[in-house]
């Protein structure tokens, strides 16, 4: 399933814009001071609405083949790497056998 999210957690590594999904908000990953947090949330909300209106929904409703390509890429690229089996295996190897 394609993702539409801010770039944090696994999505920093898994996001290939327009291929596995879409990113929203600030792409530099910096954290805001508390007094700037409300402005950042507002900016993220506006970025979300813009991305939905201008990119995601037009692809879903008007360019179904393109949207299906994004779905296929998300499953093929992210589904094969970002999964529990790989995560546990990597954790065991790095935490216990290093």
């Amino acid at each position: 399933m394609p993702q539409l999210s801010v770039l944090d957690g696994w999505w920093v590594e898994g996001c290939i814009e327009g291929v596995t999904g879409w990113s929203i908000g600030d792409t530099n990953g910096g954290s805001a001071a508390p007094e700037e947090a409300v402005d950042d949330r507002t900016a993220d909300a506006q970025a979300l609405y813009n991305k939905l209106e201008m990119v995601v929904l037009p692809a879903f409703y008007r360019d179904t083949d393109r949207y299906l390509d994004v779905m296929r890429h998300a499953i093929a690229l992210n589904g094969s790497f970002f999964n529990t089996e790989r995560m546990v295996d990597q954790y065991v190897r790095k935490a216990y056998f290093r």
Side-chain angles (χ1 to χ4, degrees), residues 79-92:
S80 65
F81 184 74
F82 295 99
N83 60 64
T84 305
E85 182 178 355
R86 189 227 19 113
M87 180 194 66
V88 170
D89 179 62
Q90 184 178 2
Y91 179 80
V92 168

Side-chain angles (χ1 to χ4, degrees), residues 23-57:
S23 64
I24 57 174
D26 187 13
T27 58
N28 66 15
S31 60
E35 62 273 3
E36 297 171 355
V38 172
D39 290 337
D40 283 351
R41 286 192 300 267
T42 303
D44 283 347
Q46 189 60 47
L48 168 64
Y49 297 139
N50 287 340
K51 187 72 68 136
L52 280 170
E53 181 181 359
M54 306 305 274
V55 179
V56 179
L57 293 176

Side-chain angles (χ1 to χ4, degrees), residues 3-14:
Q3 299 293 310
L4 172 62
S5 184
V6 294
L7 288 173
D8 67 353
W10 74 275
W11 192 229
V12 171
E13 298 174 51

Side-chain angles (χ1 to χ4, degrees), residues 1-3 16-22 59 64-76:
M1 185 65 96
Q3 299 293 310
I16 304 171
E17 186 72 24
V19 176
T20 60
W22 305 272
T64 306
D65 289 336
R66 176 69 191 121
Y67 191 84
L68 290 173
D69 281 343
V70 174
M71 288 181 66
R72 288 183 191 106
H73 284 102
I75 293 167

